Every structure is written in structure tokens, then in C-alpha cells.
């Protein structure tokens, strides 16, 4: 990564990353460890939840799309005012500009959140707990 925080990705970049932690940044603009893949185009998070968890309110991403992939357990999402449950082996997509929130996690749960492009475009639309 350069001094200004921009990614410097080599042509044949490669990384092997352990998914043992509660939250692992597999790819993104500012991975917190050297084994994370630095990318301005893609953000991939692996998460593991063993306790109650949810967003503090709704938000949207102005120009990036987001995908939630549930590998174990389930998550409850509010997407533009509609509540959905996404279980193990399922995914939910949220397009740019669509208000959404992770309402609750039916734990233990594990999954991936994928967003692209990986830009700072999050806008909080409602800070109230859903």
C-alpha cells in the first residue's frame, strides 16, 4: 500500500488468508494485515458471529453493490423496508442506492459480504435500531 492509502497491486498478486477470526478482511482497500489482498475494486469480508449482532440502523452505498452469502446459520436483513431471512446456502444481493440493514444474526453464523467497487460510499440513512 502506498503512503496515501491507495493499493499497489502487483500483476500476479496472491494471498492465502486464515479465516479463523471473528472478522477477516480477505480483500479491500485497506486490509488490516499484510495477508489481506489490497484492492480498490473489490471488498470481501468473512465473518463469524457467536453472539447477538445487528446494525445500528439502515444505510446504503451510493455506487457499490453488495452481496451477503451465508455459509452457516442465518441473517435477517431489512432491504428497502422488507424483511428477509437468508439461511445457510443462500445469498442476498443489494444494489447501489438501496437502503438496507443487518437486523439480526441467528447465531452461530458464518458468511461472506462482498462489495464492489470497494469505495467509501456508505451513507447512514437511519440511526435507529431496527
Amino acid at each position: 500500500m502506498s503512503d496515501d492509502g491507495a493499493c499497489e497491486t502487483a500483476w500476479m498478486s496472491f494471498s492465502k488468508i486464515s479465516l479463523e477470526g471473528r472478522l477477516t478482511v480477505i480483500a479491500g482497500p485497506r486490509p488490516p494485515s499484510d495477508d489481506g489482498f489490497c484492492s480498490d475494486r473489490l471488498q470481501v469480508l468473512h465473518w463469524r458471529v457467536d453472539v447477538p449482532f445487528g446494525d445500528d440502523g439502515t444505510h446504503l452505498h451510493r455506487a457499490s453493490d453488495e452481496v451477503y452469502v451465508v455459509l452457516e446459520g442465518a441473517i435477517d436483513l431489512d432491504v428497502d423496508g422488507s424483511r428477509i431471512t437468508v439461511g445457510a446456502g443462500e445469498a442476498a444481493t443489494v444494489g447501489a442506492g438501496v437502503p438496507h440493514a443487518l437486523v439480526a444474526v441467528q447465531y452461530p453464523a458464518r458468511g461472506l459480504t462482498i462489495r464492489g467497487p470497494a469505495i467509501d460510499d456508505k451513507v447512514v440513512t437511519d440511526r435507529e435500531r431496527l
Side-chain angles (χ1 to χ4, degrees), residues 1 8 40 50 54-55 61 63 66 82 84 89 102 110 115:
M1 190 178 316
E8 295 176 0
D40 294 325
D50 297 319
D55 287 337
H61 300 279
E66 195 162 41
S82 296
I84 62 169
L102 175 63
R110 189 171 65 87
R115 192 169 60 84

Side-chain angles (χ1 to χ4, degrees), residues 10-102:
W11 178 72
M12 291 292 287
S13 294
F14 173 81
S15 232
K16 181 179 177 183
I17 301 163
S18 169
L19 302 179
E20 293 300 316
R22 185 181 136 329
L23 179 66
T24 303
V25 178
I26 297 170
R30 291 177 188 80
S33 65
D34 290 339
D35 57 352
F37 180 72
C38 190
S39 173
D40 294 325
R41 296 180 299 269
L42 177 68
Q43 180 183 51
V44 180
L45 307 174
H46 174 267
W47 42 266
R48 179 182 317 275
V49 179
D50 297 319
V51 296
F53 179 81
D55 287 337
D56 291 334
T58 58
H59 67 279
L60 59 83
H61 300 279
R62 288 187 184 125
S64 59
D65 300 320
E66 195 162 41
V67 178
Y68 296 90
V69 179
V70 178
L71 303 172
E72 297 174 19
I75 61 173
D76 296 327
L77 296 172
D78 181 296
V79 181
D80 202 16
S82 296
R83 289 225 178 165
I84 62 169
T85 297
V86 185
E90 296 180 323
T93 58
V94 181
V98 177
H100 60 284
L102 175 63

